[in-house]
Every structure is written in C-alpha cells, then in structure tokens.
C-alpha cells in the first residue's frame, strides 16, 4: 500500500512536471505571435548581469540592442572593441539614449563573473543603466555566438581568438546590422541605431 | 485503491519508456592527449573520458524527438534555429515517408536542433576535439592518422555521393566500438564555430587580424591530414541554422562518477 502511495505521488509529480512544460510551450507560443521568427528573444537561456541579476534576453524587448562579444582579460582586440562601443554610445542622439542598450557578452563565462564584469564596467566608465554585461554558460555563449555568426576559440588558458563583430538588433530582437573588423568607421552602425531607435 | 496502483504503475512505466524512445547505446571513450589539426598554442589537446553514441542519430530516433517536442517539427521550427532546408526531405512534419529509411542517419538538421536533441536526454554535442579524437581511430588503432590507406579511405568516401541515404552501422566499427564516424554523414560538433578560417563569404580576405583577435596563433599543425583539413574547412563555412543534406550528428555524455572511469568498455543503454 505504501508503495502505491509513493507511486501515486511520483506520478502526480511527473504529471505536474509535464504540465508545467506544456504551459511553458503555450507561453512561448504566445510570444511567438508577437515576435518574428528570427528574434533572439526565442533563445531560452538565462544570463547574469554585472549587478548579479538573472535575466533572459527577452527581458530586453523594446530597446534597440548593440551587442559585442568580448572577454575582460583580453589584451589585443577587446580594448579596441570596447573603445568602438563607447564611441558608438557617444554618438547616439541625446533623446534616443533611453531606447538603446549597449551589451557586452563575455565569451569567457568561467573567468568573467558578475563581480569581474562589474569591475570592468567601472574601469571603463561603462557603469550605468545603458550598459549591460552578461555572463552565460559555455553552452549559452556558444549558442548566442552562433546567432551572431561570431566565432571564437580558446587558444590558451588565458586567451581566446574571436571575431570582432558589433551587432545591432531592433526592438523585436531581429538582427539588423553588423559591423565587422577593428578600427572600421562606426558611421553606418550609428546611423542604423539612430534610425531604429527613432522608429521605436 | 488497490486497483489503481498497478494502473498507475503501468502509466508511469509507459511515460518512462516513452522518454527512452530515442535513446541509444553509448560506449566509453578513454581520454588521452593528441595533437589535432588545429589546436591551441600548446599544441597538445587533452580529452577527458566520455561516453559517445555508437551510431549517428537516425531518422527514426529524430522522429520520436519531434513527436515529443513539436516545436522542432519542420512546419513549426523558428527560422532563427533552422533554415528552409530543415528536414526538407521528410514527407511531412511527423513522417520521413516511404523513400527514406528510418535506419538512415537524420540529416538536414541544424546545430540548434542537434543541440536540443542531445540536451533533452542529458547528453550534449561532442566538441571538435572529442569528435576528432574518436575519428582518428581505425578498426584496431586509437590513432590511425599516419596510416596512408586510412586517409585514402576517408577521402574516397568524401568523393562518394549520397552516402547519407545508407543505414547506420554500414561502415566499420572503430577501436572504441563506434560506428560510422567516416563513410556516412558529416557530423555537427558543439564548437564548430571555433574554426577561424577566413573565407570569401566574410569580408576578411585582406586582413584576418582585424576580424579575428589572435588569428596568428591559429594554424594547421599537419597539412598532410587533408581529410581533417576538409572537415575543419567545412565547419568554418557553415552557420548554426544551416540544414545540410549530408550533415547529421551524434551525442556524447560526460562521465559523472570518477569511480566508473576504470571499467573499460563501459556500456549503457
């Protein structure tokens, strides 16, 4: 008898767990009606910010996103990418600033903890609401890089080789523009951001 | 109450077995170190012990998966996760149809779909280093890369069309007990997007250093291994939502309990 009770409990638990996944599907279906197929807000992963808050990408819905993938111990290209991001930020039209978020995603989630990202943000004067630093997991970062077509590889315990790409997403999370390479003119990227933010 | 018990037991059993509909047997791969074609600066790569699917994932297994997770059916999948070619040779979203063998490896699969398929069974996609480590074995040796006939065989397969229509288990069983690493389909790897080979498809022909930080550190260690070079070049040329006719996948799994590492030929179902 006790065994049966246990089994019943087990089944109820299983039923509950399968129910919850059904409702999850239902809610993601309703998101789907609003969001285009190519939206990054379909990505299910959870991230930690530099303020140690847990977010999903879809929490960012409604803003224009400017994203780049870096790692904080990087000596070569990242400082230039970070400089590019700051340059872009400084040229966003004053009244549009609230519509735009600048996001740096770490490709080294093991090293780049929220604390470390916070310190990096402070060091680089990027410590306000407009800037967001994200720590994921090995798998979620790989997945996100795949959405951006960013390539990266760990080449030593300290260093990664990676693509230098800055990506711009519209309010619904669809990729609208990519700037490839270092030291390229940011003009086109800035124009796109201002255009999207102005429409929003 | 007494009558309900066995019924519930049966339901539970049904639920459990349903979960297992697309599981397949795995074999243990004993870790080691080797120098892959493209490595890190220290050249030698260390691969830890892991379990690998004996065969590539079949149409049959993937069919059970899409039935259980309808968001991965071809009429429902989001374009972010899979392009137009996704499962495009299947007759319908829930049937491969008569022309396709259920025992053939599933192809026209995106990286996202392959990744989720593995994750829903607590498995994962192999890394390039793990895949290549297993792929360098022939029937009797862990590392057959120096064997010219071995490389020749792989290259001959690359020249043979439509091998993806064959059924799994068609090619040789390698040293580890794994089938079809060569000769059937190309396979997705977890970190395929770590291959930083420049190409005409991107705007980086003139100056790699601008697009890739540290690109000078990446170079082929052994250009004699032409078959491996082709695999890396292919990985470098695809994107994660691509579904390609001759590209399938298989899953691997970490070995959790270190005490189990000692038993060789560890088989689980």
């Amino acid at each position: 008898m006790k065994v049966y009770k246990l089994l019943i409990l087990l089944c109820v638990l299983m039923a509950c767990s399968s129910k919850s996944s059904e409702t999850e599907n239902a809610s993601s279906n309703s998101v789907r009606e609003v969001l285009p197929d190519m939206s990054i807000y379909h990505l299910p992963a959870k991230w930690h910010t530099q303020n140690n808050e847990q977010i999903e990408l879809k929490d960012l819905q409604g803003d224009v996103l400017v994203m780049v993938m870096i790692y904080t111990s990087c000596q070569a290209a990242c400082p230039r990418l970070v400089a590019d991001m700051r340059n872009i930020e400084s040229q966003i039209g004053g009244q549009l600033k609230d519509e735009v978020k600048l996001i740096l995603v770490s490709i080294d989630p093991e090293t780049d903890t929220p604390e470390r990202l916070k310190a990096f943000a402070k060091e680089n004067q990027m410590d306000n609401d407009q800037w967001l630093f994200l720590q994921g997991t090995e798998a979620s970062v790989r997945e996100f890089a795949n959405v951006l077509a960013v390539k990266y590889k760990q080449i030593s315990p300290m260093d990664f080789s990676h693509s230098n790409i800055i990506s711009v997403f519209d309010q619904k999370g669809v990729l609208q523009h990519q700037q490839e390479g270092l030291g390229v003119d940011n003009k086109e990227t800035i124009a796109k951001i201002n255009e999207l933010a102005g429409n929003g | 109450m007494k009558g309900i018990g066995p019924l519930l037991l049966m339901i539970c059993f049904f639920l459990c077995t349903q979960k297992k509909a697309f599981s397949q047997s795995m074999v243990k791969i004993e870790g080691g170190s080797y120098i892959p074609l493209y490595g890190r600066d220290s050249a030698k790569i260390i691969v830890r012990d892991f379990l690998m699917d004996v065969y590539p994932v079949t149409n049959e297994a993937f069919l059970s998966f899409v039935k259980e997770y309808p968001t991965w059916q071809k009429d429902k999948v989001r374009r972010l996760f899979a392009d137009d070619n996704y499962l495009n040779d299947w007759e319908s979203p829930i049937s491969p149809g008569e022309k396709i063998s259920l025992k053939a490896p599933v192809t026209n699969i995106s990286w996202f779909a392959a990744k989720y398929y593995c994750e829903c069974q607590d498995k994962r996609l192999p890394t390039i280093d793990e895949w290549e480590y297993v792929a360098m074995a022939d029937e009797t040796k862990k590392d057959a890369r120096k064997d010219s006939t071995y490389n020749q065989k792989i290259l001959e397969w690359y020249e043979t069309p439509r091998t993806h229509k064959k059924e799994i288990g068609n090619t040789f069983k390698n040293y580890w007990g794994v089938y079809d690493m060569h000769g059937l389909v190309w396979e997705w790897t977890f970190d395929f997007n770590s291959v930083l080979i420049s190409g005409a498809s991107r705007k980086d022909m003139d100056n790699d250093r601008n697009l890739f930080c540290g690109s000078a550190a990446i170079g082929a260690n052994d250009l004699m291994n032409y078959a491996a070079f082709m695999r890396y070049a292919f990985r470098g040329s695809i994107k994660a939502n691509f579904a390609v006719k001759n590209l399938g996948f298989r899953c691997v799994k970490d070995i959790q309990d270190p005490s189990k590492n000692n038993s060789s030929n560890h088989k689980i179902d």
Side-chain angles (χ1 to χ4, degrees):
Chain A
M1 195 61 181
K2 261 193 179 161
V3 177
Y4 286 152
K5 271 188 185 158
L6 203 67
L7 278 171
I8 291 163
L9 188 71
L10 193 76
C11 277
V12 168
L13 280 175
M14 283 178 81
C16 286
S17 67
S18 67
K19 265 265 169 57
S20 73
S21 73
E22 264 167 38
T23 49
E24 210 174 270
N25 278 343
S27 74
S28 68
N29 275 342
S30 66
V31 166
R32 189 185 180 174
E33 279 159 23
V34 194
L35 291 175
D37 247 23
M38 290 302 284
S39 171
I40 52 166
Y41 300 137
H42 295 303
L43 291 169
K46 292 186 169 58
W47 302 78
H48 282 102
T49 71
Q50 76 269 32
N51 298 316
N52 212 359
E53 288 161 337
Q54 201 180 56
I55 65 159
E56 285 176 51
L57 290 179
K58 63 169 179 264
D59 299 336
L60 303 169
Q61 210 170 316
D63 282 335
V64 173
L65 309 182
V66 187
M67 298 186 118
V68 70
M69 299 188 80
I70 51 124
Y71 62 107
T72 62
S73 43
C74 169
Q75 302 295 322
C78 308
R80 294 174 63 190
L81 275 176
V82 169
D84 271 342
M85 288 290 277
R86 282 173 51 184
N87 176 268
I88 289 169
E89 191 265 346
S90 70
Q91 294 188 57
I92 298 170
Q95 74 282 14
L96 300 176
K97 278 206 194 305
D98 289 345
E99 319 281 325
V100 182
K101 276 224 152 42
L102 296 116
I103 303 173
L104 293 90
V105 179
S106 171
I107 52 174
D108 186 7
E110 221 168 282
T111 314
D112 289 337
T113 57
E115 296 74 40
R116 191 157 169 152
L117 292 171
K118 182 79 176 175
F120 185 85
K122 282 188 174 157
E123 253 168 58
N124 291 281
Q125 291 98 46
M126 298 159 115
D127 190 29
N128 64 47
D129 287 350
Q130 219 180 345
W131 296 95
L132 196 57
F133 291 75
L134 297 180
Q135 177 202 31
T137 60
E138 203 194 338
S140 66
V141 173
R142 218 14 111 186
E143 182 167 81
F144 188 64
N146 270 330
V147 169
L148 301 185
V150 162
K151 294 166 187 273
Y152 66 93
K153 180 184 176 75
Q154 188 161 23
I155 49 173
S156 76
M158 281 296 290
D159 275 308
F160 289 79
S161 179
H162 61 96
S163 325
N164 300 316
I165 298 180
I166 293 176
S167 308
V168 181
F169 294 86
D170 66 19
Q171 286 88 342
K172 288 187 171 171
V174 178
L175 183 64
Q176 294 294 349
H177 178 75
Q178 286 196 310
Q179 165 180 321
E180 294 184 13
L182 288 173
V184 291
D185 192 350
N186 294 326
K187 216 161 62 189
E188 232 180 288
T189 306
I190 292 157
K192 193 76 199 175
I193 296 165
N194 284 328
E195 177 201 323
L196 289 169
N199 291 341
Chain B
M1 193 68 173
K2 270 203 170 150
I4 289 172
L7 189 72
L8 283 175
L9 188 66
M10 268 175 67
I11 292 168
C12 273
F13 182 73
F14 176 72
L15 282 171
C16 296
T17 49
Q18 209 192 20
K19 266 257 181 287
K20 284 198 160 191
F22 44 89
S23 76
Q24 67 151 298
S25 44
M26 304 183 91
V27 286
K28 186 189 168 191
I29 311 296
E30 259 172 62
S33 67
Y34 77 112
I35 300 177
L37 186 63
Y38 286 89
R40 289 161 48 135
D41 55 354
S42 53
K44 258 199 175 161
I45 288 290
I46 292 169
V47 173
R48 293 170 61 182
D49 291 2
F50 63 99
L51 302 170
M52 186 181 238
D53 284 352
V54 173
Y55 303 107
V57 174
T58 59
N59 284 308
E60 186 176 34
F62 205 78
L63 181 61
S64 319
F65 169 74
V66 299
K67 280 181 178 166
E68 194 169 332
Y69 300 92
T71 48
W72 292 103
Q73 289 167 13
K74 66 173 172 177
D75 57 338
K76 298 190 180 68
V77 74
R78 293 182 182 109
R79 285 287 160 263
L80 184 71
F81 297 138
D83 69 14
D84 289 346
N85 288 325
Y86 179 71
L87 294 175
N88 77 348
D89 54 347
W90 279 26
E91 197 176 81
S92 84
I94 47 160
S95 166
E98 296 291 305
K99 284 180 218 146
I100 291 170
S101 168
L102 285 172
K103 297 284 177 209
V106 67
T107 59
N108 290 309
I109 285 295
S110 70
W111 177 84
F112 294 102
K115 177 173 175 278
Y116 278 96
Y117 174 97
C118 294
E119 282 175 358
C120 84
Q121 307 168 65
D122 292 320
K123 296 183 187 178
R124 58 179 175 83
L125 286 171
T127 62
I128 294 179
D129 289 339
E130 287 168 340
W131 197 95
E132 291 286 330
Y133 179 76
V134 178
M136 68 190 187
D138 66 2
E139 290 92 331
T140 53
K141 293 184 290 293
K142 280 185 203 176
D143 186 356
R145 289 179 298 174
K146 291 219 163 64
D147 186 338
S148 63
T149 58
Y150 180 67
N151 286 311
Q152 191 56 39
K153 259 198 282 185
I154 298 171
L155 287 172
E156 276 165 18
W157 162 49
Y158 289 170
E159 289 169 2
T160 313
R162 287 184 290 281
T163 51
H164 64 279
K165 297 204 164 166
K166 290 184 181 172
E167 298 192 343
I168 55 159
N170 230 293
T171 72
F172 70 95
K173 176 184 185 177
N174 81 4
Y175 174 87
W176 303 106
V178 173
Y179 283 86
D180 306 325
M181 291 298 279
H182 305 287
L184 226 52
V185 285
W186 299 56
E187 295 181 14
W188 280 110
T189 47
F190 172 69
D191 54 348
F192 78 95
N193 65 341
S194 68
V195 178
L196 295 112
I197 301 174
S198 63
S201 62
R202 300 204 74 100
K203 292 167 251 160
D204 56 340
M205 289 301 279
D206 300 329
N207 195 349
D208 277 2
R209 278 165 180 270
N210 264 344
L211 189 60
F212 299 128
C213 151
S215 60
I218 308 284
N221 279 315
D222 175 18
L223 280 172
M224 295 299 286
N225 193 346
Y226 189 63
F229 183 77
M230 285 179 70
R231 288 195 294 276
Y232 280 87
F234 177 65
R235 288 172 191 137
S237 72
I238 50 179
K239 288 187 179 175
N241 67 342
F242 282 16
V244 183
K245 193 174 68 180
N246 57 354
L247 181 60
F249 71 103
R250 74 178 76 212
C251 310
V252 297
K253 194 174 179 162
D254 291 317
I255 295 173
Q256 300 296 344
D257 186 358
S259 65
K260 280 184 187 160
N261 285 8
N262 298 328
S263 65
S264 65
N265 229 355
H266 173 82
K267 274 207 179 204
I268 65 157
D269 184 43

